[in-house]
Amino acid sequence: MEGKTVIKVENLVKRYKELVALDHFNLEVKEGEVFGLLGPNGSGKSTTMNCILGLLKYDKGNIEVFGKKMAPDSYEVKAMIGVVPQEVAVFEELTVLENVDYFCGLYVNDKATRKQYVEEALEFVGLQEFKKFYPKKLSGGLLRRLNIACGIAHKPKLIFLDEPTVAVDPQSRNKILEGIEQLNAEGATIVYTSHYMEEVEQICTRIAIMDGGKNLAIGTNEELKNMIKTGETIQVEILDFPQAQLESIRALPHVYRAEYEENHLKVHYTKGQRNLVRLLDYLKEHDITFGRVYSELPTLNDVFLEITGKELRD
Amino acid sequence: MQTFKLFMTLLKRNLPSVSIYVVIFAIISVVITSSNQSSSAQLYQDEAIPFTVIDEDKSALSEGLREYLAQKNEYVEHSGAVEELQMDMYYRDIYYVLIIPEGFEEGVKAGEEPTLQNYKIKDSSVGYYMDLAVESYMSTLRASLATGVELSEAIATTGEAMQASAEVSMQQKENTSTNSIMQGYFQTLPYILLAMLMNALGNIMISLNREKVRLRANCSSLSMTKRNLQIALGTALFGLMIWVLFEVIALVLYAKQESAITFALTGMNTLCFVLMTVALSVMIGFLAKKEAVLSAVAIIVSLGASFLGGVFVPLEVMGEGIIKVAKFLPTYWYVTANSAIVNVAEFSEAGSAFAGMGIQLLFAAAFFTIAMVASRKQK
Ligand SMILES: Nc1ncnc2c1ncn2[C@@H]1O[C@H](COP(=O)(O)OP(=O)(O)OP(=O)(O)O)[C@@H](O)[C@H]1O
Ligand SMILES: [Mg+2]
């Protein structure tokens, strides 16, 4: 989908005193995308978001949203944006309903419309039965859903979600991810921040990999995986593998690493065709009996690992 | 008006604690006022002095005089026997004996000044008081006679005139005693206002300005200026409501005895103080950031400013050094204005009261400015 450009960030530099949180960061998000910002803790994801939203002053660079330069008083642009901050930001003194109504009311003046929007948002996150609850009485997952409802009730065209699934049980997490896909299907452009690669792989149409305030790589899931030399990894269950064979396996085409541990032969490939067939043929030729065979495609973790030399998850 | 609505919702959540302050203060004021009124009534009863008259004249005048004295005092029938009189006076059944000699009326008619004799209990102000009463009756009567009217008519008009003046003096007495009660009411009010508004408004400001929700609101299409204006409107309205509430309580308790001007001036003074307190509360709400800090500050400021400013302890008994410090407190200026108002009968005399109010408004402006600067800094 080649839509209009919704967000354009050029050479963004943001310093917190000596610490350079964003270092000449570039980004372009197009209409209709679910754009993922993937990076470990402290890589500058929230900082990027807050700069785009005009919540933070930045030292250098240029930010445009919906074709207009973003400033703290860009209220027309802000009216089209929905934000779900990383930390739950709701009034403890207000009920679930009152919270959603308040934040929706910052955008929507008409009472009847607002009432309808609030109802829809509560239904969307599945909180209808908790309308009268105070946030303190909600579980972590429900609180996250309230946080989302407050950010999207006014039906924004562009939605920022900053790690909305942190510390959430799998059920709530799936509900949230499905919800995001639904919002996107209804026409919203999404910017989704996370350090969970599985989530990003699952819902994002395009992904930027961040580390140390830099945008290291940008592309679709496949494009990113194609950027790296790692291809599939094949694991074969073998009860008794002669270590001497390992060298010959390493000599097979596309293999760049092979090891045998705990009754499993693990072979890492660079990009290439027919790797599995060739490996199994080799084993049969040498009368090595084997059990189950697994083939794993590269993950974004492999991408991250290859670019930065460290694991995405600590 | 979304933020205004939010302010009101938060206010509603704080209303229980607000109403506790109001109710307790109202109850205390009612109790003080009513106990004071009954004691002043008692004081008046005490002055009903048991007396008797030995009337040797048996004239219209002697009867008029007796009736006049009996209006405010307790007339005791007596045979006139000297020994019995001595016993009754010894046992304090009778405090004062007036002896009206024969030919008294005739003498008065003739323009003479016939002497009246009396017995009274030694070393008691009662006797002096009765002498005065007799004296004032007689001088009023003579003044009336001097206009050339008949004696019977003079007796009648004197009786009426004396009764009217008695009522006036009675009312004046009540007036002075309750005036100090109302002054007391408004003198203690600053403490209640400080404690109550600082807690309620401070809490609301803290809720409104919690960083997370504030940032979220900053993402919205409603500008911060508009939101702040709505909050300002809410605080002003709340301050006004509280002011009206305490004015109404004062009206209910003291309306009968107070002059309109005292009410007007006291009301203005209190309004100034409310404004100052609202600004102070908003400022502290911005600076405190945490409820625990806020309540500590609220206790220290409300008690400290009240003690030093003369809310609890009269300024007259404080040392010069403390007064010098007190002048830096708005409570001091409220209290001095409140005291000045008591002696004011016309607006033109209220200069020092107005000065006190003006200084309170200056404090309000200063606190408000600091609050605004603090809110800018948050960004
Ligand atoms: N207010 C601040 N003052 C100083 N340093 C900050 C501030 N906020 C963030 N930082 C630093 O800037 C860097 C980027 O932080 P940021 O919150 O953007 O990371 P993130 O990718 O969102 O991380 P996380 O996954 O933990 O949310 C971090 O090193 C962080 O310590
Ligand atoms: Mg973050």
Side-chain angles (χ1 to χ4, degrees), chain A residues 111-123:
Chain A
K111 247 189 182 166
T113 315
R114 187 166 76 232
K115 200 166 172 233
Q116 186 200 332
Y117 280 12
V118 170
E119 283 300 321
E120 283 172 13
L122 287 174
E123 195 184 346

Side-chain angles (χ1 to χ4, degrees), chain A residues 78 89 93 98 101 147, chain B residues 2 5 13 207 216 218 223:
Chain A
K78 283 184 174 184
E93 299 85 349
E98 288 168 335
D101 181 74
N147 197 33
Chain B
Q2 194 67 4
K5 201 176 112 193
R13 305 279 191 267
S207 302
R216 185 164 212 158
N218 284 350
S223 76

Side-chain angles (χ1 to χ4, degrees), chain B residues 183-184 187-188 305-320 322-323 326 331-332 335-336 338-339:
Chain B
Q183 206 199 343
Q187 178 129 349
T188 17
S306 297
F307 269 111
L308 293 174
V311 171
F312 299 140
V313 185
L315 289 167
E316 292 78 34
V317 304
M318 289 194 206
E320 244 176 73
I322 296 182
I323 297 279
T331 37
Y332 171 87
V335 168
T336 46
N338 195 44
S339 314

Side-chain angles (χ1 to χ4, degrees), chain A residues 14-17 19-22 37-50 56 86 162-163 166 193-195 210 212-213, chain B residues 211:
Chain A
K14 166 71 191 172
R15 283 193 202 92
Y16 294 111
K17 305 227 168 80
L19 183 108
V20 182
L22 291 178
L37 273 179
L38 179 68
N41 293 128
S43 54
K45 304 182 294 291
S46 300
T47 305
T48 308
M49 247 186 65
N50 292 337
L56 279 177
Q86 180 168 2
D162 196 355
E163 309 207 29
V166 166
T193 279
S194 181
H195 62 266
M210 287 188 75
Chain B
E211 166 140 1

